[in-house]
Coordinates of all heavy atoms in Angstrom, one line a residue:
G589 N 18.7 25.1 -4.5 CA 17.5 24.4 -4.9 C 17.9 23.2 -5.8 O 17.3 22.1 -5.6
I590 N 18.9 23.3 -6.7 CA 19.3 22.2 -7.5 C 20.0 21.2 -6.7 O 19.8 20.0 -6.9 CB 20.2 22.8 -8.6 CG1 19.4 23.6 -9.6 CG2 20.9 21.6 -9.4 CD1 20.2 24.3 -10.6
G591 N 20.8 21.6 -5.7 CA 21.5 20.7 -4.8 C 20.5 19.8 -4.0 O 20.6 18.6 -3.9
K592 N 19.5 20.5 -3.5 CA 18.5 19.8 -2.7 C 17.6 18.9 -3.6 O 17.2 17.8 -3.2 CB 17.6 20.8 -2.0 CG 18.2 21.6 -0.8 CD 17.3 22.5 -0.1 CE 18.0 23.2 1.1 NZ 18.4 22.2 2.1
Q593 N 17.4 19.4 -4.8 CA 16.6 18.6 -5.8 C 17.4 17.3 -6.1 O 16.8 16.2 -6.2 CB 16.3 19.4 -7.1 CG 15.4 18.7 -8.0 CD 15.2 19.5 -9.3 OE1 16.1 20.1 -9.8 NE2 14.0 19.5 -9.8
L594 N 18.7 17.4 -6.3 CA 19.5 16.3 -6.6 C 19.5 15.2 -5.4 O 19.3 14.0 -5.7 CB 21.0 16.7 -6.8 CG 22.1 15.6 -6.9 CD1 21.8 14.7 -8.1 CD2 23.4 16.2 -6.9
L595 N 19.6 15.7 -4.2 CA 19.6 14.8 -3.1 C 18.2 14.2 -2.9 O 18.1 13.0 -2.6 CB 20.0 15.6 -1.8 CG 21.4 16.1 -1.7 CD1 21.6 16.9 -0.5 CD2 22.4 15.0 -1.8
M596 N 17.1 15.0 -3.1 CA 15.8 14.5 -3.0 C 15.5 13.4 -4.1 O 14.8 12.4 -3.8 CB 14.8 15.6 -3.1 CG 14.7 16.4 -1.8 SD 13.3 17.6 -1.9 CE 11.9 16.5 -2.2
T597 N 16.0 13.7 -5.3 CA 15.7 12.8 -6.4 C 16.4 11.4 -6.1 O 15.8 10.4 -6.3 CB 16.3 13.3 -7.7 OG1 15.6 14.6 -8.0 CG2 16.0 12.4 -8.9
R598 N 17.6 11.5 -5.7 CA 18.3 10.3 -5.3 C 17.7 9.5 -4.2 O 17.5 8.3 -4.2 CB 19.8 10.6 -5.0 CG 20.7 9.4 -4.9 CD 22.1 9.9 -4.7 NE 22.7 10.5 -5.8 CZ 23.6 11.4 -5.8 NH1 24.1 11.8 -4.6 NH2 24.1 11.9 -6.9
G599 N 17.3 10.3 -3.1 CA 16.6 9.7 -2.0 C 15.3 9.1 -2.3 O 14.9 8.0 -1.9
S600 N 14.5 9.8 -3.2 CA 13.1 9.4 -3.5 C 13.2 8.1 -4.4 O 12.4 7.2 -4.1 CB 12.4 10.5 -4.3 OG 12.2 11.6 -3.5
L601 N 14.1 8.1 -5.4 CA 14.1 6.9 -6.2 C 14.8 5.7 -5.5 O 14.5 4.6 -5.8 CB 14.9 7.2 -7.5 CG 14.2 8.2 -8.4 CD1 15.0 8.4 -9.7 CD2 12.8 7.8 -8.7
T602 N 15.7 6.0 -4.5 CA 16.2 4.9 -3.7 C 15.1 4.3 -2.8 O 15.0 3.1 -2.7 CB 17.3 5.4 -2.8 OG1 18.4 5.9 -3.6 CG2 17.9 4.3 -1.9
T603 N 14.3 5.2 -2.2 CA 13.1 4.7 -1.5 C 12.2 3.8 -2.3 O 11.8 2.7 -1.9 CB 12.4 5.9 -0.9 OG1 13.2 6.7 -0.1 CG2 11.2 5.4 0.0
F604 N 11.9 4.3 -3.5 CA 11.0 3.6 -4.4 C 11.6 2.3 -4.8 O 10.9 1.2 -4.8 CB 10.8 4.4 -5.7 CG 9.9 3.8 -6.7 CD1 8.5 3.9 -6.6 CD2 10.4 3.0 -7.7 CE1 7.7 3.3 -7.5 CE2 9.6 2.4 -8.6 CZ 8.2 2.5 -8.6
S605 N 12.9 2.2 -5.1 CA 13.6 1.0 -5.5 C 13.6 0.0 -4.4 O 13.3 -1.2 -4.7 CB 15.0 1.3 -6.0 OG 15.7 0.2 -6.4
I606 N 14.0 0.4 -3.2 CA 14.0 -0.6 -2.1 C 12.6 -1.2 -1.8 O 12.4 -2.4 -1.6 CB 14.7 0.0 -0.9 CG1 16.1 0.3 -1.2 CG2 14.5 -0.9 0.3 CD1 16.8 1.1 -0.1
A607 N 11.6 -0.2 -1.7 CA 10.2 -0.7 -1.5 C 9.8 -1.6 -2.6 O 9.1 -2.6 -2.4 CB 9.3 0.5 -1.4
N608 N 10.2 -1.3 -3.8 CA 9.9 -2.1 -5.0 C 10.4 -3.5 -4.9 O 9.7 -4.5 -5.1 CB 10.6 -1.4 -6.2 CG 9.8 -1.5 -7.5 OD1 8.7 -2.1 -7.5 ND2 10.3 -1.0 -8.5
D609 N 11.7 -3.6 -4.4 CA 12.3 -4.9 -4.3 C 11.6 -5.8 -3.2 O 11.4 -7.0 -3.4 CB 13.8 -4.8 -4.0 CG 14.5 -4.1 -5.2 OD1 14.1 -4.3 -6.3 OD2 15.5 -3.4 -4.9
V610 N 11.3 -5.1 -2.1 CA 10.6 -5.9 -1.0 C 9.3 -6.4 -1.5 O 8.9 -7.5 -1.2 CB 10.5 -5.0 0.2 CG1 9.6 -5.6 1.3 CG2 11.9 -4.6 0.8
A611 N 8.5 -5.5 -2.2 CA 7.2 -5.9 -2.7 C 7.3 -7.0 -3.7 O 6.5 -8.0 -3.6 CB 6.5 -4.7 -3.3
K612 N 8.3 -7.0 -4.6 CA 8.5 -8.0 -5.6 C 8.8 -9.4 -4.9 O 8.3 -10.4 -5.3 CB 9.6 -7.6 -6.6 CG 9.1 -6.6 -7.6 CD 10.2 -6.3 -8.6 CE 11.3 -5.5 -8.1 NZ 12.3 -5.1 -9.1
Y613 N 9.6 -9.3 -3.8 CA 9.9 -10.5 -3.1 C 8.7 -11.2 -2.6 O 8.5 -12.4 -2.8 CB 10.9 -10.2 -2.0 CG 11.5 -11.4 -1.3 CD1 12.7 -12.0 -1.8 CD2 10.9 -11.9 -0.2 CE1 13.2 -13.1 -1.1 CE2 11.4 -13.0 0.5 CZ 12.6 -13.6 0.0 OH 13.1 -14.7 0.6
F614 N 7.8 -10.5 -1.9 CA 6.6 -11.1 -1.4 C 5.5 -11.3 -2.4 O 4.6 -12.1 -2.1 CB 6.1 -10.2 -0.2 CG 6.9 -10.2 1.0 CD1 7.8 -9.1 1.3 CD2 6.9 -11.2 1.9 CE1 8.6 -9.2 2.4 CE2 7.7 -11.3 3.0 CZ 8.5 -10.2 3.3
A615 N 5.7 -10.7 -3.6 CA 4.7 -11.0 -4.6 C 5.0 -12.2 -5.4 O 4.2 -13.0 -5.9 CB 4.6 -9.8 -5.6
I616 N 6.4 -12.5 -5.6 CA 6.8 -13.6 -6.5 C 7.0 -14.9 -5.8 O 6.6 -16.0 -6.3 CB 8.1 -13.1 -7.3 CG1 7.8 -11.9 -8.1 CG2 8.6 -14.3 -8.1 CD1 9.0 -11.2 -8.6
I617 N 7.7 -14.9 -4.6 CA 8.1 -16.1 -3.9 C 6.9 -17.0 -3.7 O 7.0 -18.2 -4.0 CB 8.8 -15.8 -2.6 CG1 10.1 -15.0 -2.9 CG2 9.1 -17.1 -1.8 CD1 11.1 -15.8 -3.7
P618 N 5.7 -16.5 -3.2 CA 4.6 -17.4 -3.0 C 4.1 -18.1 -4.3 O 3.8 -19.3 -4.3 CB 3.5 -16.5 -2.4 CG 4.2 -15.4 -1.8 CD 5.4 -15.2 -2.7
A619 N 4.2 -17.3 -5.4 CA 3.8 -17.9 -6.7 C 4.7 -19.0 -7.2 O 4.2 -19.9 -7.9 CB 3.7 -16.8 -7.8
L620 N 6.0 -18.9 -6.9 CA 6.9 -19.9 -7.3 C 6.8 -21.2 -6.6 O 7.0 -22.3 -7.1 CB 8.4 -19.4 -7.1 CG 8.8 -18.2 -8.0 CD1 10.3 -17.8 -7.6 CD2 8.7 -18.5 -9.4
F621 N 6.4 -21.1 -5.3 CA 6.4 -22.4 -4.5 C 5.0 -22.8 -4.1 O 4.8 -23.8 -3.4 CB 7.2 -22.1 -3.2 CG 8.7 -22.0 -3.5 CD1 9.2 -20.7 -3.6 CD2 9.5 -23.1 -3.6 CE1 10.6 -20.6 -3.9 CE2 10.8 -22.9 -3.9 CZ 11.4 -21.7 -4.0
V622 N 3.9 -22.1 -4.5 CA 2.6 -22.5 -4.1 C 2.2 -23.9 -4.5 O 1.4 -24.6 -3.8 CB 1.5 -21.4 -4.5 CG1 1.4 -21.5 -6.1 CG2 0.2 -21.6 -3.8
A623 N 2.7 -24.3 -5.7 CA 2.3 -25.6 -6.2 C 2.9 -26.7 -5.3 O 2.3 -27.7 -5.0 CB 2.8 -25.8 -7.6
A624 N 4.2 -26.5 -4.9 CA 4.8 -27.5 -4.0 C 4.4 -27.4 -2.6 O 4.4 -28.4 -1.8 CB 6.4 -27.4 -4.1
I625 N 4.1 -26.2 -2.1 CA 3.7 -26.0 -0.7 C 2.4 -25.2 -0.8 O 2.3 -24.0 -0.8 CB 4.8 -25.1 0.0 CG1 6.2 -25.8 -0.2 CG2 4.4 -25.0 1.5 CD1 7.3 -25.0 0.4
P626 N 1.3 -25.9 -0.8 CA -0.1 -25.3 -0.9 C -0.3 -24.3 0.2 O -1.1 -23.4 0.0 CB -1.0 -26.5 -0.8 CG -0.2 -27.7 -1.3 CD 1.2 -27.4 -0.8
E627 N 0.3 -24.5 1.4 CA 0.1 -23.6 2.5 C 0.5 -22.1 2.2 O 0.0 -21.2 2.8 CB 0.9 -24.1 3.7 CG 0.3 -25.4 4.4 CD 0.8 -26.6 3.6 OE1 1.6 -26.4 2.6 OE2 0.3 -27.7 3.9
L628 N 1.3 -22.0 1.2 CA 1.7 -20.6 0.8 C 0.7 -19.9 0.0 O 0.8 -18.7 -0.3 CB 3.0 -20.6 -0.1 CG 4.3 -21.0 0.7 CD1 5.5 -21.1 -0.3 CD2 4.6 -19.9 1.8
G629 N -0.4 -20.6 -0.3 CA -1.5 -20.0 -1.1 C -2.1 -18.8 -0.4 O -2.6 -17.9 -1.1
V630 N -2.1 -18.8 0.9 CA -2.6 -17.6 1.6 C -1.8 -16.4 1.4 O -2.4 -15.2 1.5 CB -2.7 -17.9 3.2 CG1 -1.3 -18.0 3.8 CG2 -3.5 -16.9 3.9
L631 N -0.5 -16.5 1.0 CA 0.3 -15.4 0.7 C 0.3 -15.0 -0.8 O 0.8 -14.0 -1.2 CB 1.7 -15.6 1.2 CG 2.0 -15.9 2.6 CD1 3.5 -16.2 2.9 CD2 1.6 -14.6 3.4
N632 N -0.3 -15.9 -1.6 CA -0.3 -15.7 -3.0 C -1.5 -14.8 -3.4 O -2.4 -15.2 -4.1 CB -0.3 -17.1 -3.8 CG -0.2 -16.9 -5.3 OD1 0.4 -15.9 -5.7 ND2 -0.7 -17.9 -6.0
V633 N -1.4 -13.6 -2.9 CA -2.6 -12.7 -3.1 C -2.7 -12.2 -4.5 O -3.8 -11.8 -4.9 CB -2.4 -11.4 -2.2 CG1 -2.5 -11.8 -0.7 CG2 -1.1 -10.7 -2.5
M634 N -1.7 -12.3 -5.3 CA -1.8 -11.8 -6.7 C -2.3 -12.9 -7.7 O -2.8 -12.6 -8.8 CB -0.4 -11.4 -7.2 CG 0.2 -10.2 -6.5 SD 1.8 -9.7 -7.0 CE 1.5 -9.2 -8.7
R635 N -2.3 -14.2 -7.2 CA -2.8 -15.3 -8.0 C -2.2 -15.3 -9.4 O -3.0 -15.3 -10.4 CB -4.4 -15.2 -8.1 CG -5.1 -15.3 -6.8 CD -4.9 -16.8 -6.2 NE -5.7 -17.0 -5.0 CZ -5.3 -16.8 -3.7 NH1 -4.0 -16.4 -3.5 NH2 -6.0 -17.1 -2.7

């Protein structure tokens, strides 16, 4: 049980971390460039 818990913990937090990074990419990039490229405003959902 402890061995499986170790593997699950590592897998779960890796899943969370990778999903986290992808979400941050699409959340931040539009905000950085929306002033220079107004067309990115449609992706700037977080405003």
Side-chain angles (χ1 to χ4, degrees):
I590 289 169
K592 289 184 178 296
Q593 186 181 42
L594 171 64
L595 296 176
M596 283 187 60
T597 302
R598 192 176 289 153
S600 297
L601 292 184
T602 300
T603 302
F604 180 87
S605 181
I606 293 174
N608 215 1
D609 295 331
V610 172
K612 284 185 288 185
Y613 188 87
F614 287 102
I616 299 169
I617 296 300
L620 293 179
F621 292 97
V622 68
I625 307 175
E627 289 80 5
L628 288 177
V630 68
L631 298 177
N632 188 22
V633 294
M634 296 177 66
R635 299 292 187 266

